[in-house]
Amino acid sequence: MKNQIGIFTLGLTALLAGCVGEATPPPPPNHLIMLTEAADGSADASFMTVESLEECERRADVAKNVFPSAGIKYISHYCTNASVAFEPFGHNPEPTGPNYVFDLQFSKDGKVLKKVVSHPSVEECEKAHGKVCIVSYQKLL
């Protein structure tokens, strides 16, 4: 019995040692964050919920194909996992209501939105050394 426990312990130790240093894969994306250029040159962000990476990339491709005919300049997009929620995206041709300035802080690979920091203006976000300073008409919920 003592020998079996020793073998079990040795096996468990080897198993756990194999896990050390292995990166945990990021969670699947649940948001498409689309960045476009606003009239003043700042980055305008739209947040949409998605169920998978495939859906995210498909929706991004559809939007990128429509943007030129709508006179919208595409900057980039993120298919990312976020634990925060934004109010629902509206397909208004011209955004209405108040806007919000956020610094979006992503993991190094961009697959996880780690933190969203609110700022009173894009200038204040940039002064605070924001990594991705954006304007959005969708507020955090």
Short mmCIF file of all heavy atoms in Angstrom, two decimals, residues 17-76:
data_model
loop_
_atom_site.label_atom_id
_atom_site.label_comp_id
_atom_site.label_asym_id
_atom_site.label_seq_id
_atom_site.Cartn_x
_atom_site.Cartn_y
_atom_site.Cartn_z
N ALA A 17 3.79 19.00 -12.57
CA ALA A 17 4.99 19.65 -13.09
C ALA A 17 4.84 19.94 -14.58
O ALA A 17 5.32 20.96 -15.08
CB ALA A 17 6.22 18.79 -12.84
N GLY A 18 4.14 19.07 -15.28
CA GLY A 18 3.90 19.30 -16.70
C GLY A 18 3.01 20.49 -16.96
O GLY A 18 3.06 21.10 -18.03
N CYS A 19 2.20 20.86 -15.98
CA CYS A 19 1.31 22.01 -16.14
C CYS A 19 2.00 23.33 -15.84
O CYS A 19 1.55 24.37 -16.28
CB CYS A 19 0.10 21.87 -15.20
SG CYS A 19 -0.97 20.49 -15.62
N VAL A 20 3.08 23.29 -15.10
CA VAL A 20 3.78 24.51 -14.73
C VAL A 20 4.35 25.15 -15.98
O VAL A 20 4.97 24.49 -16.80
CB VAL A 20 4.90 24.22 -13.69
CG1 VAL A 20 5.72 25.46 -13.43
CG2 VAL A 20 4.30 23.68 -12.41
N GLY A 21 4.14 26.42 -16.14
CA GLY A 21 4.67 27.14 -17.27
C GLY A 21 3.79 27.09 -18.50
O GLY A 21 4.01 27.83 -19.43
N GLU A 22 2.82 26.22 -18.53
CA GLU A 22 1.91 26.15 -19.66
C GLU A 22 0.86 27.24 -19.50
O GLU A 22 0.23 27.37 -18.46
CB GLU A 22 1.23 24.79 -19.74
CG GLU A 22 2.22 23.68 -19.95
CD GLU A 22 1.78 22.72 -21.02
OE1 GLU A 22 0.71 22.92 -21.58
OE2 GLU A 22 2.52 21.78 -21.27
N ALA A 23 0.71 28.03 -20.53
CA ALA A 23 -0.27 29.12 -20.48
C ALA A 23 -1.68 28.55 -20.56
O ALA A 23 -1.95 27.65 -21.35
CB ALA A 23 -0.02 30.08 -21.62
N THR A 24 -2.53 29.08 -19.74
CA THR A 24 -3.94 28.72 -19.81
C THR A 24 -4.52 29.43 -21.02
O THR A 24 -4.32 30.63 -21.19
CB THR A 24 -4.68 29.19 -18.54
OG1 THR A 24 -4.03 28.61 -17.41
CG2 THR A 24 -6.13 28.80 -18.57
N PRO A 25 -5.22 28.71 -21.88
CA PRO A 25 -5.77 29.38 -23.06
C PRO A 25 -6.79 30.44 -22.65
O PRO A 25 -7.48 30.28 -21.63
CB PRO A 25 -6.44 28.26 -23.86
CG PRO A 25 -6.61 27.13 -22.91
CD PRO A 25 -5.59 27.31 -21.83
N PRO A 26 -6.86 31.54 -23.40
CA PRO A 26 -7.82 32.58 -23.04
C PRO A 26 -9.24 32.07 -23.23
O PRO A 26 -9.48 31.17 -24.04
CB PRO A 26 -7.51 33.70 -24.03
CG PRO A 26 -6.85 33.03 -25.19
CD PRO A 26 -6.14 31.84 -24.62
N PRO A 27 -10.17 32.64 -22.49
CA PRO A 27 -11.57 32.25 -22.69
C PRO A 27 -12.02 32.68 -24.08
O PRO A 27 -11.43 33.59 -24.67
CB PRO A 27 -12.32 33.02 -21.59
CG PRO A 27 -11.39 34.10 -21.15
CD PRO A 27 -10.00 33.67 -21.48
N PRO A 28 -13.06 32.04 -24.61
CA PRO A 28 -13.52 32.41 -25.95
C PRO A 28 -14.07 33.84 -25.96
O PRO A 28 -14.54 34.35 -24.94
CB PRO A 28 -14.63 31.40 -26.25
CG PRO A 28 -15.06 30.89 -24.92
CD PRO A 28 -13.87 30.99 -24.01
N PRO A 29 -14.00 34.50 -27.12
CA PRO A 29 -14.50 35.87 -27.18
C PRO A 29 -16.00 35.94 -26.93
O PRO A 29 -16.75 35.05 -27.35
CB PRO A 29 -14.19 36.32 -28.61
CG PRO A 29 -13.61 35.17 -29.32
CD PRO A 29 -13.47 34.03 -28.38
N ASN A 30 -16.41 36.99 -26.23
CA ASN A 30 -17.84 37.25 -26.04
C ASN A 30 -18.20 38.67 -26.47
O ASN A 30 -19.33 39.10 -26.33
CB ASN A 30 -18.27 36.98 -24.59
CG ASN A 30 -17.55 37.85 -23.58
OD1 ASN A 30 -16.74 38.70 -23.93
ND2 ASN A 30 -17.85 37.64 -22.32
N HIS A 31 -17.20 39.40 -27.00
CA HIS A 31 -17.44 40.76 -27.49
C HIS A 31 -16.67 41.01 -28.78
O HIS A 31 -15.52 40.60 -28.91
CB HIS A 31 -16.97 41.81 -26.47
CG HIS A 31 -17.94 42.06 -25.38
ND1 HIS A 31 -18.02 41.27 -24.26
CD2 HIS A 31 -18.89 43.01 -25.23
CE1 HIS A 31 -18.96 41.72 -23.47
NE2 HIS A 31 -19.51 42.78 -24.03
N LEU A 32 -17.31 41.71 -29.68
CA LEU A 32 -16.66 42.33 -30.83
C LEU A 32 -16.56 43.80 -30.49
O LEU A 32 -17.58 44.44 -30.18
CB LEU A 32 -17.47 42.13 -32.10
CG LEU A 32 -17.12 43.02 -33.30
CD1 LEU A 32 -15.67 42.86 -33.73
CD2 LEU A 32 -18.08 42.75 -34.45
N ILE A 33 -15.36 44.34 -30.49
CA ILE A 33 -15.15 45.77 -30.28
C ILE A 33 -14.63 46.31 -31.61
O ILE A 33 -13.55 45.94 -32.06
CB ILE A 33 -14.15 46.05 -29.15
CG1 ILE A 33 -14.64 45.40 -27.84
CG2 ILE A 33 -13.95 47.56 -28.98
CD1 ILE A 33 -13.66 45.50 -26.69
N MET A 34 -15.44 47.14 -32.23
CA MET A 34 -15.13 47.69 -33.55
C MET A 34 -14.70 49.14 -33.38
O MET A 34 -15.43 49.94 -32.79
CB MET A 34 -16.37 47.60 -34.44
CG MET A 34 -16.16 48.05 -35.86
SD MET A 34 -15.07 46.99 -36.84
CE MET A 34 -16.04 45.52 -37.02
N LEU A 35 -13.50 49.46 -33.87
CA LEU A 35 -12.99 50.82 -33.80
C LEU A 35 -13.04 51.47 -35.17
O LEU A 35 -12.53 50.91 -36.15
CB LEU A 35 -11.55 50.84 -33.28
CG LEU A 35 -11.28 50.22 -31.92
CD1 LEU A 35 -9.82 50.37 -31.55
CD2 LEU A 35 -12.16 50.82 -30.85
N THR A 36 -13.67 52.63 -35.23
CA THR A 36 -13.75 53.42 -36.46
C THR A 36 -13.30 54.83 -36.14
O THR A 36 -13.22 55.23 -34.98
CB THR A 36 -15.19 53.42 -37.02
OG1 THR A 36 -16.09 53.93 -36.03
CG2 THR A 36 -15.61 52.02 -37.45
N GLU A 37 -13.01 55.59 -37.18
CA GLU A 37 -12.53 56.95 -36.99
C GLU A 37 -13.70 57.92 -36.92
O GLU A 37 -14.54 57.96 -37.83
CB GLU A 37 -11.58 57.35 -38.11
CG GLU A 37 -10.91 58.68 -37.86
CD GLU A 37 -9.87 59.00 -38.92
OE1 GLU A 37 -8.86 58.28 -38.98
OE2 GLU A 37 -10.09 59.96 -39.69
N ALA A 38 -13.75 58.71 -35.85
CA ALA A 38 -14.78 59.73 -35.69
C ALA A 38 -14.40 60.96 -36.52
O ALA A 38 -13.27 61.08 -37.00
CB ALA A 38 -14.93 60.11 -34.21
N ALA A 39 -15.34 61.88 -36.69
CA ALA A 39 -15.10 63.09 -37.49
C ALA A 39 -13.91 63.89 -37.00
O ALA A 39 -13.19 64.51 -37.79
CB ALA A 39 -16.36 63.95 -37.50
N ASP A 40 -13.66 63.88 -35.68
CA ASP A 40 -12.54 64.65 -35.12
C ASP A 40 -11.23 63.87 -35.13
O ASP A 40 -10.22 64.33 -34.60
CB ASP A 40 -12.87 65.13 -33.71
CG ASP A 40 -13.02 64.00 -32.70
OD1 ASP A 40 -12.87 62.81 -33.07
OD2 ASP A 40 -13.29 64.30 -31.52
N GLY A 41 -11.23 62.66 -35.70
CA GLY A 41 -10.01 61.86 -35.79
C GLY A 41 -9.81 60.90 -34.63
O GLY A 41 -8.90 60.08 -34.66
N SER A 42 -10.64 60.99 -33.60
CA SER A 42 -10.52 60.06 -32.47
C SER A 42 -11.08 58.70 -32.84
O SER A 42 -11.75 58.54 -33.86
CB SER A 42 -11.23 60.62 -31.23
OG SER A 42 -12.62 60.73 -31.48
N ALA A 43 -10.79 57.72 -32.02
CA ALA A 43 -11.30 56.36 -32.24
C ALA A 43 -12.67 56.23 -31.59
O ALA A 43 -12.83 56.51 -30.40
CB ALA A 43 -10.34 55.33 -31.67
N ASP A 44 -13.63 55.82 -32.37
CA ASP A 44 -15.00 55.59 -31.91
C ASP A 44 -15.18 54.08 -31.77
O ASP A 44 -14.83 53.33 -32.69
CB ASP A 44 -15.97 56.17 -32.93
CG ASP A 44 -17.41 56.16 -32.48
OD1 ASP A 44 -17.66 56.00 -31.27
OD2 ASP A 44 -18.31 56.31 -33.33
N ALA A 45 -15.69 53.62 -30.64
CA ALA A 45 -15.83 52.17 -30.41
C ALA A 45 -17.29 51.77 -30.30
O ALA A 45 -18.10 52.47 -29.71
CB ALA A 45 -15.10 51.76 -29.14
N SER A 46 -17.58 50.62 -30.89
CA SER A 46 -18.88 49.98 -30.75
C SER A 46 -18.65 48.61 -30.14
O SER A 46 -17.73 47.89 -30.55
CB SER A 46 -19.56 49.83 -32.11
OG SER A 46 -19.76 51.09 -32.70
N PHE A 47 -19.49 48.26 -29.17
CA PHE A 47 -19.36 47.00 -28.45
C PHE A 47 -20.55 46.12 -28.76
O PHE A 47 -21.70 46.52 -28.56
CB PHE A 47 -19.30 47.26 -26.94
CG PHE A 47 -18.19 48.18 -26.53
CD1 PHE A 47 -18.38 49.55 -26.46
CD2 PHE A 47 -16.94 47.68 -26.20
CE1 PHE A 47 -17.36 50.40 -26.08
CE2 PHE A 47 -15.91 48.52 -25.83
CZ PHE A 47 -16.12 49.89 -25.77
N MET A 48 -20.30 44.92 -29.26
CA MET A 48 -21.37 43.97 -29.58
C MET A 48 -21.06 42.63 -28.96
O MET A 48 -19.91 42.18 -29.00
CB MET A 48 -21.50 43.83 -31.10
CG MET A 48 -22.00 45.10 -31.78
SD MET A 48 -21.40 45.27 -33.48
CE MET A 48 -19.81 46.03 -33.20
N THR A 49 -22.07 42.00 -28.39
CA THR A 49 -21.85 40.67 -27.82
C THR A 49 -21.86 39.63 -28.94
O THR A 49 -22.59 39.77 -29.94
CB THR A 49 -22.91 40.32 -26.76
OG1 THR A 49 -24.21 40.41 -27.35
CG2 THR A 49 -22.82 41.26 -25.57
N VAL A 50 -21.04 38.61 -28.76
CA VAL A 50 -20.95 37.51 -29.71
C VAL A 50 -20.88 36.20 -28.94
O VAL A 50 -20.58 36.19 -27.75
CB VAL A 50 -19.72 37.65 -30.65
CG1 VAL A 50 -19.84 38.87 -31.53
CG2 VAL A 50 -18.42 37.68 -29.86
N GLU A 51 -21.12 35.12 -29.64
CA GLU A 51 -21.10 33.79 -29.02
C GLU A 51 -19.81 33.02 -29.28
O GLU A 51 -19.51 32.07 -28.58
CB GLU A 51 -22.28 32.96 -29.54
CG GLU A 51 -23.65 33.53 -29.18
CD GLU A 51 -23.92 33.49 -27.69
OE1 GLU A 51 -23.52 32.51 -27.03
OE2 GLU A 51 -24.54 34.44 -27.18
N SER A 52 -19.05 33.42 -30.33
CA SER A 52 -17.86 32.65 -30.69
C SER A 52 -16.90 33.51 -31.50
O SER A 52 -17.27 34.59 -32.00
CB SER A 52 -18.25 31.43 -31.53
OG SER A 52 -18.78 31.87 -32.78
N LEU A 53 -15.68 33.01 -31.68
CA LEU A 53 -14.69 33.70 -32.50
C LEU A 53 -15.19 33.77 -33.95
O LEU A 53 -15.04 34.80 -34.62
CB LEU A 53 -13.34 32.97 -32.43
CG LEU A 53 -12.24 33.54 -33.31
CD1 LEU A 53 -11.93 35.00 -32.96
CD2 LEU A 53 -10.98 32.69 -33.20
N GLU A 54 -15.80 32.70 -34.43
CA GLU A 54 -16.29 32.67 -35.80
C GLU A 54 -17.35 33.74 -36.02
O GLU A 54 -17.33 34.46 -37.03
CB GLU A 54 -16.86 31.28 -36.14
CG GLU A 54 -15.83 30.18 -36.18
CD GLU A 54 -15.37 29.71 -34.79
OE1 GLU A 54 -16.07 29.92 -33.77
OE2 GLU A 54 -14.27 29.14 -34.72
N GLU A 55 -18.30 33.86 -35.09
CA GLU A 55 -19.34 34.90 -35.21
C GLU A 55 -18.71 36.28 -35.16
O GLU A 55 -19.08 37.18 -35.92
CB GLU A 55 -20.38 34.77 -34.10
CG GLU A 55 -21.44 35.86 -34.18
CD GLU A 55 -22.35 35.94 -32.97
OE1 GLU A 55 -22.20 35.15 -32.01
OE2 GLU A 55 -23.22 36.84 -32.97
N CYS A 56 -17.75 36.46 -34.28
CA CYS A 56 -17.08 37.75 -34.14
C CYS A 56 -16.41 38.15 -35.45
O CYS A 56 -16.60 39.27 -35.94
CB CYS A 56 -16.07 37.69 -33.00
SG CYS A 56 -15.31 39.27 -32.64
N GLU A 57 -15.61 37.27 -36.00
CA GLU A 57 -14.90 37.58 -37.24
C GLU A 57 -15.88 37.78 -38.41
O GLU A 57 -15.66 38.65 -39.26
CB GLU A 57 -13.87 36.50 -37.57
CG GLU A 57 -12.71 36.45 -36.60
CD GLU A 57 -11.83 37.70 -36.59
OE1 GLU A 57 -11.99 38.61 -37.44
OE2 GLU A 57 -10.93 37.77 -35.72
N ARG A 58 -16.94 37.00 -38.45
CA ARG A 58 -17.94 37.15 -39.52
C ARG A 58 -18.59 38.52 -39.44
O ARG A 58 -18.71 39.23 -40.45
CB ARG A 58 -19.00 36.04 -39.42
CG ARG A 58 -20.08 36.13 -40.52
CD ARG A 58 -21.16 35.08 -40.33
NE ARG A 58 -21.75 35.03 -39.02
CZ ARG A 58 -22.65 35.92 -38.55
NH1 ARG A 58 -23.04 36.92 -39.30
NH2 ARG A 58 -23.16 35.79 -37.34
N ARG A 59 -19.01 38.93 -38.24
CA ARG A 59 -19.65 40.24 -38.07
C ARG A 59 -18.68 41.38 -38.37
O ARG A 59 -19.07 42.39 -38.96
CB ARG A 59 -20.23 40.37 -36.66
CG ARG A 59 -21.44 39.44 -36.47
CD ARG A 59 -22.03 39.53 -35.10
NE ARG A 59 -22.71 40.82 -34.93
CZ ARG A 59 -23.33 41.18 -33.81
NH1 ARG A 59 -23.35 40.37 -32.77
NH2 ARG A 59 -23.91 42.34 -33.71
N ALA A 60 -17.43 41.20 -37.99
CA ALA A 60 -16.42 42.23 -38.30
C ALA A 60 -16.23 42.35 -39.82
O ALA A 60 -16.16 43.46 -40.36
CB ALA A 60 -15.10 41.91 -37.62
N ASP A 61 -16.18 41.22 -40.51
CA ASP A 61 -16.01 41.25 -41.97
C ASP A 61 -17.20 41.93 -42.66
O ASP A 61 -17.02 42.71 -43.59
CB ASP A 61 -15.84 39.83 -42.52
CG ASP A 61 -14.46 39.25 -42.23
OD1 ASP A 61 -13.54 40.03 -41.89
OD2 ASP A 61 -14.31 38.02 -42.32
N VAL A 62 -18.40 41.62 -42.19
CA VAL A 62 -19.60 42.26 -42.77
C VAL A 62 -19.52 43.77 -42.59
O VAL A 62 -19.74 44.54 -43.53
CB VAL A 62 -20.90 41.68 -42.13
CG1 VAL A 62 -22.11 42.53 -42.50
CG2 VAL A 62 -21.10 40.23 -42.56
N ALA A 63 -19.19 44.21 -41.38
CA ALA A 63 -19.10 45.65 -41.10
C ALA A 63 -18.03 46.30 -41.96
O ALA A 63 -18.25 47.36 -42.56
CB ALA A 63 -18.83 45.88 -39.62
N LYS A 64 -16.86 45.68 -42.06
CA LYS A 64 -15.76 46.25 -42.84
C LYS A 64 -16.13 46.38 -44.32
O LYS A 64 -15.68 47.31 -44.99
CB LYS A 64 -14.49 45.41 -42.69
CG LYS A 64 -13.87 45.53 -41.32
CD LYS A 64 -12.50 44.88 -41.21
CE LYS A 64 -12.50 43.42 -41.47
NZ LYS A 64 -11.20 42.77 -41.23
N ASN A 65 -16.96 45.48 -44.82
CA ASN A 65 -17.40 45.56 -46.21
C ASN A 65 -18.41 46.67 -46.43
O ASN A 65 -18.50 47.22 -47.53
CB ASN A 65 -17.97 44.22 -46.67
CG ASN A 65 -16.88 43.18 -46.89
OD1 ASN A 65 -15.77 43.52 -47.27
ND2 ASN A 65 -17.19 41.93 -46.62
N VAL A 66 -19.18 47.02 -45.40
CA VAL A 66 -20.20 48.07 -45.51
C VAL A 66 -19.60 49.46 -45.28
O VAL A 66 -20.06 50.44 -45.86
CB VAL A 66 -21.34 47.81 -44.49
CG1 VAL A 66 -22.29 48.98 -44.40
CG2 VAL A 66 -22.09 46.53 -44.84
N PHE A 67 -18.57 49.54 -44.47
CA PHE A 67 -18.01 50.84 -44.08
C PHE A 67 -17.66 51.76 -45.26
O PHE A 67 -18.02 52.94 -45.22
CB PHE A 67 -16.79 50.66 -43.18
CG PHE A 67 -17.11 50.22 -41.78
CD1 PHE A 67 -16.12 49.73 -40.96
CD2 PHE A 67 -18.40 50.29 -41.26
CE1 PHE A 67 -16.39 49.33 -39.66
CE2 PHE A 67 -18.69 49.88 -39.96
CZ PHE A 67 -17.67 49.40 -39.16
N PRO A 68 -16.97 51.31 -46.30
CA PRO A 68 -16.60 52.24 -47.37
C PRO A 68 -17.80 52.94 -48.01
O PRO A 68 -17.76 54.15 -48.24
CB PRO A 68 -15.87 51.36 -48.39
CG PRO A 68 -15.34 50.22 -47.57
CD PRO A 68 -16.39 49.98 -46.51
N SER A 69 -18.87 52.20 -48.27
CA SER A 69 -20.05 52.82 -48.90
C SER A 69 -20.78 53.75 -47.94
O SER A 69 -21.49 54.65 -48.37
CB SER A 69 -21.00 51.74 -49.43
OG SER A 69 -21.49 50.96 -48.36
N ALA A 70 -20.56 53.58 -46.64
CA ALA A 70 -21.18 54.45 -45.64
C ALA A 70 -20.25 55.61 -45.25
O ALA A 70 -20.60 56.43 -44.40
CB ALA A 70 -21.55 53.64 -44.40
N GLY A 71 -19.07 55.66 -45.85
CA GLY A 71 -18.13 56.72 -45.53
C GLY A 71 -17.51 56.60 -44.15
O GLY A 71 -17.11 57.58 -43.54
N ILE A 72 -17.40 55.36 -43.66
CA ILE A 72 -16.84 55.11 -42.33
C ILE A 72 -15.43 54.55 -42.50
O ILE A 72 -15.21 53.63 -43.29
CB ILE A 72 -17.72 54.11 -41.54
CG1 ILE A 72 -19.11 54.72 -41.32
CG2 ILE A 72 -17.07 53.74 -40.22
CD1 ILE A 72 -20.12 53.74 -40.74
N LYS A 73 -14.48 55.11 -41.75
CA LYS A 73 -13.10 54.64 -41.82
C LYS A 73 -12.84 53.62 -40.72
O LYS A 73 -12.90 53.94 -39.54
CB LYS A 73 -12.13 55.81 -41.70
CG LYS A 73 -10.69 55.37 -41.87
CD LYS A 73 -9.72 56.52 -41.88
CE LYS A 73 -8.30 55.98 -42.02
NZ LYS A 73 -7.31 57.03 -41.86
N TYR A 74 -12.54 52.41 -41.13
CA TYR A 74 -12.22 51.31 -40.22
C TYR A 74 -10.82 51.52 -39.66
O TYR A 74 -9.89 51.82 -40.39
CB TYR A 74 -12.31 49.98 -40.98
CG TYR A 74 -11.74 48.79 -40.25
CD1 TYR A 74 -12.47 48.13 -39.28
CD2 TYR A 74 -10.46 48.31 -40.54
CE1 TYR A 74 -11.95 47.02 -38.61
CE2 TYR A 74 -9.93 47.22 -39.88
CZ TYR A 74 -10.68 46.57 -38.92
OH TYR A 74 -10.16 45.49 -38.27
N ILE A 75 -10.67 51.35 -38.32
CA ILE A 75 -9.36 51.40 -37.69
C ILE A 75 -8.90 49.98 -37.37
O ILE A 75 -7.86 49.53 -37.83
CB ILE A 75 -9.37 52.26 -36.40
CG1 ILE A 75 -9.72 53.71 -36.74
CG2 ILE A 75 -8.03 52.17 -35.70
CD1 ILE A 75 -9.90 54.60 -35.52
N SER A 76 -9.66 49.27 -36.55
CA SER A 76 -9.34 47.90 -36.17
C SER A 76 -10.51 47.31 -35.41
O SER A 76 -11.49 48.00 -35.14
CB SER A 76 -8.06 47.83 -35.32
OG SER A 76 -8.27 48.47 -34.08
#
